[in-house]
Structures are given as structure tokens and as C-alpha cells.
Amino acid sequence: MRMRAFSEFDAALPTDQIRQADADRLRSLATWAYLLLRPGMEFVRQRSNFIAGLLLQGLVNAMNSTYSLRDTKTAAGVQQPATRLRSGGPGSLIGWDTLGWQGRNFTGKGPAAADIARFTGHPATEPIRIYAGLASAPDAESRAVLAVRDLQRAGGFGRKNLLVVTTTGSGCVDPALSGSFEYLGGGNTATVAIQYSYLPSWISYLVDQSKAREAGRALFDAVYAAWSRLPRDHCPRLFVAGENLGSFGGEAAFSGAYGMANLTSGVLFAGPPNFSTLFREFTDQRDPGSPEVQPVCQDGRIVRFANDPAAAIPPSGQPWNGTRVLYMMHPSDPIIWWTPHLIFSEPDWISQPPGKGVLRTMFWMPFVTFWQVTADLPFAAGVPAGYGHRYTAGYVYGWNAVMRPAGIAPGDLASLKKIIAAGG
């Protein structure tokens, strides 16, 4: 799906951001060179499993080595927590040096109670953040168990709102995802996540796809097992979230919409890959007449889809009671639309009115459309918020729809959008 030329977006960026974007794109292009060669490698595999296996495993091992080195470092400005409410901090069962690059970003940053109080105008609670990295425990199940133990230690099950996040491939929890949840929850929140790979999502889904599902299921099951033993009047509201491959992995804990409704208080997924099991099921079985770019499923009773969660979320006039499940999906996000089926099959969205950020002249051609969408993948996040795979401010409105916090006015959401966009 072709978006506006990226050079148009870059023109508005500061020079240092342009240099960083160029470097990121070069790394992405190198990665995608491997991905685009992989079909040929699969052909070779059919002829000689042994040779292809060596080639593929060698490339995967090389990429693992490259990205694992970054995991041992800490981003500039990130400090070890001085509070007992964060993994890696005083009294934590999980060592700071085991959290990895993304884990240290997650527990070493984020809004403090004072930041949240300034937004709400009321006293706030310090949010709890729990994370287990690849070095924290040997496998997904043991990392999930360790994370739950640290969550219990920090008092996470005593909070009003508890969030289970399935991370992206590299272990990232989007700061906008967690920060919006914490601000709208008045800080009376606990968020828990675990890492399952060193590799970025666009590589992980080829070689670590099963790890994402395993991690999503293991963490939710471990949290739910402890949560379900609490007295009904003393347990937090339980939420689930994920972005990109995290959406795919987060779905693994559920059999369908009713499973989500019965086991949680709300679910928020952003930019789900096209192969996400439940996302595809809901989309393929959408109500007649609803477009693929913003489908309606079973009159929106449980599951809904939003191109722009700041606007009305369809279907209008239909009740959305009980647990709310929301998929945020930009029409210009190639991660949502990329699939090998584009090679030979015309998707429904091609013949439907184009969404925001999509060329009106877009049409389907065998092979050509597949490569057009593929070419957009490395640059999916290198665009302004609200386009492509940038859901930053959308989390404010997405969480507001799912959590339904009391006393939040439209003006408050606009203020929070600015805070989150500024990295708050």
C-alpha cells in the first residue's frame, strides 16, 4: 500500500532525526534484503534441506549476534530505578543487568506520580512496571513466572488496573502504550511484560513467530492464574495490549472474542500483522457492507476497529457494553496489509474507498502490488504520527475508549495527547 513519498515527511524533521532515520532505513534495507532472498532460499531448501538449513541458520545466527550485543547496553539518559515499584530497582527479584535494552528503557523511564498529578489535578499513585528480559530466566514460562512473582512483590495485584503487554520482537513496550494507560488510570496501575527475542518484529515473525505466541500465552496465563485466586472485590481490572507482533502474540491467550470478554476487562491491539489469527478471523467474518480497512464485526458488540480512535468508533448507535476489544489500524500501515496472498489475489481493500494516507490511484496487479507493499514495510514507522505504523497519540484515545476512566473530558484527552507526543 503506497503512502505519500517519505521525502515529504522527512522535510519537516530536524537534521539529526533525518540522519537517524537514514541510518535506520539502511539497517532496515539490509534486513529486508535477507527477507526478500528468503523465498529463493526456501526453493533451495526443497532441493537440499541441508544446504538451505545451513544458509538460513547462519544468517539468523549472525543477526541474533548483532542484535544481542545491543541488548547488553543501556540507552543514554536511562537510570536504574530507585523505587521498589520497578523491576531492576531495590528489592526486585529481577536484576537490572538482565532486563536488556528495551527492558531497561521500560522500567527506567515513564511518568512519575507527580507528572500524573499535574495532568489529573488530583493526587496520583506511582505506577508499577515489571519486566523480565531474555537473560532474566531461561524460557518464556520461567520468565512469566518470575515476572508475576516480582509483580506480587511490588504490590501489582493491589492496584486498580493491571495491564499485561506482549512486547514487539525486540522486547519493546511502546512508551505511548504504557504511558497513556498510566495517565488515564491516575497512576493506580501495574504493567507487566517479558522479552522473547532480540530481533525486531519484521525479522521475528519469520524466525521467532512461535516465540511471540508462546510468550503472549505464558505471561497472560501466569498473571491470570494469580489474579483469579484473588477475592472478587479485591482484584484489579485486567487489561491486555500489544503492538505489531505483540498483537499477534497477545491474541494467543484467547480462543476468540468471547474468550477476551470473559477473561479481561479490555483489550487494545495496534497495527496487527495481517497473519494475526483472531484479527484475520474478525476481519474475514465482518458484517456485510463494512470495509476491510475498518470492518464491523457482530455489530461491534465486543470487538471494534478504529482508523482514528479520536473520532467515533463504528458502528455508531450500537451498544458497546462490558469488555471492550479495540484494534487500532491505520489504512496506510503496510504491516496490516502485507501478505504473500497479494502476489496472486486481489484483496478487498483495493476496490474499496481508500483510507487516510493511501493513494486514490492504488490498484492491484499480480506481483506488483505485493512488491509495492513490501517496499513500504521498512519505512512503516518513519512517518508522522497517525500514519503508517505510528500509533503514538492514538493510544490516548484508544485507552480512553477501552478503559472508560471517570472524569476525563475531551480537553483532557487533547492535553494528554500533547504530553504523550512529547515523550511524557
Side-chain angles (χ1 to χ4, degrees):
M1 177 174 292
R2 300 301 295 166
M3 298 178 285
R4 291 190 295 165
F6 288 99
S7 58
E8 295 179 27
F9 293 135
D10 286 350
L13 294 175
T15 302
D16 60 337
Q17 291 188 27
I18 294 176
R19 292 197 189 99
Q20 183 61 47
D22 288 341
D24 291 342
R25 288 174 187 175
L26 286 173
R27 284 193 291 269
S28 296
L29 287 172
T31 298
W32 278 102
Y34 156 68
L35 300 185
L36 299 181
L37 287 172
R38 193 170 186 267
M41 294 171 62
E42 288 299 314
F43 175 79
V44 173
R45 183 183 61 80
Q46 295 174 10
R47 297 288 186 252
S48 175
N49 289 335
F50 177 73
I51 295 175
L54 288 178
L55 291 172
L56 178 59
Q57 192 57 52
L59 285 169
V60 171
N61 289 343
M63 287 185 291
N64 253 320
S65 297
T66 299
Y67 285 102
S68 65
L69 289 176
R70 181 177 186 248
D71 213 51
T72 63
K73 302 176 182 179
T74 302
V78 174
Q79 301 292 327
Q80 184 173 1
T83 171
R84 298 176 60 86
L85 302 179
R86 304 287 180 100
S87 291
S92 174
L93 305 178
I94 304 174
W96 172 250
D97 60 339
T98 73
L99 297 181
W101 173 278
Q102 297 291 2
R104 286 187 284 274
N105 282 345
F106 176 61
T107 68
K109 300 170 70 175
D115 300 317
I116 298 171
R118 278 194 295 271
F119 164 69
T120 62
H122 305 287
T125 308
E126 192 77 22
I128 292 173
R129 290 189 172 192
I130 301 299
Y131 191 98
L134 282 173
S136 302
D139 53 55
E141 184 175 352
S142 56
R143 285 192 291 274
V145 170
L146 178 60
V148 169
R149 288 176 55 211
D150 208 36
L151 182 66
Q152 292 170 322
R153 173 203 60 80
F157 288 99
R159 293 301 175 91
K160 183 178 179 180
N161 303 288
L162 172 58
L163 174 60
V164 179
V165 177
T166 303
T167 65
T168 64
S170 60
C172 175
V173 177
D174 191 321
L177 182 160
S178 52
S180 298
F181 181 79
E182 290 163 343
Y183 274 104
L184 291 173
N188 197 349
T189 62
T191 304
V192 58
I194 63 173
Q195 183 183 16
Y196 55 84
S197 174
Y198 296 121
L199 304 175
S201 291
W202 58 83
I203 310 175
S204 292
Y205 93 84
L206 285 177
V207 297
D208 284 342
Q209 194 175 115
S210 61
K211 292 182 181 179
R213 292 181 61 84
E214 180 186 18
R217 186 183 301 112
L219 182 58
F220 181 81
D221 287 351
V223 171
Y224 187 82
W227 178 89
S228 63
R229 290 193 291 268
L230 299 172
R232 291 299 87 187
D233 56 345
H234 287 86
C235 61
R237 296 196 299 167
L238 182 59
F239 296 91
V240 170
E243 179 180 315
N244 197 331
L245 199 61
S247 299
F248 169 75
E251 287 186 346
F254 309 101
S255 58
Y258 288 107
M260 293 176 175
N262 291 333
L263 299 177
T264 77
S265 296
V267 176
L268 182 62
F269 290 139
N274 192 268
F275 54 79
S276 299
T277 307
L278 295 182
F279 170 72
R280 278 263 48 96
E281 178 183 317
F282 299 147
T283 302
D284 292 343
Q285 298 177 6
R286 64 188 181 275
D287 296 353
S290 67
E292 187 175 13
V293 295
Q294 190 164 246
V296 173
C297 179
Q298 297 181 336
D299 292 324
R301 289 193 295 271
I302 300 174
V303 180
R304 295 198 179 189
F305 302 83
N307 294 164
D308 179 6
I313 300 173
S316 60
Q318 296 294 329
W320 198 15
N321 303 319
T323 293
R324 292 183 172 186
V325 177
L326 179 62
Y327 285 87
M328 298 194 298
M329 48 188 295
H330 293 154
S332 57
D333 186 351
I335 288 173
I336 295 174
W337 310 115
W338 186 91
T339 168
H341 295 301
L342 286 174
I343 297 175
F344 296 115
S345 301
E346 179 178 353
D348 291 345
W349 55 262
I350 284 286
S351 60
Q352 296 168 351
K356 178 183 176 183
V358 180
L359 292 175
R360 295 186 178 277
T361 54
M362 184 78 179
F363 62 93
W364 178 80
M365 289 183 64
F367 292 98
V368 175
T369 303
F370 169 78
W371 290 114
Q372 284 181 316
V373 179
T374 300
D376 276 343
L377 286 170
F379 313 114
V383 297
Y387 292 89
H389 201 64
R390 288 282 304 281
Y391 292 90
T392 310
Y395 280 114
V396 171
Y397 297 95
W399 276 126
N400 184 63
V402 172
M403 296 175 72
R404 290 166 282 183
I408 298 294
D412 298 325
L413 296 176
S415 298
L416 182 55
K417 176 182 175 180
K418 294 178 181 178
I419 294 172
I420 294 300

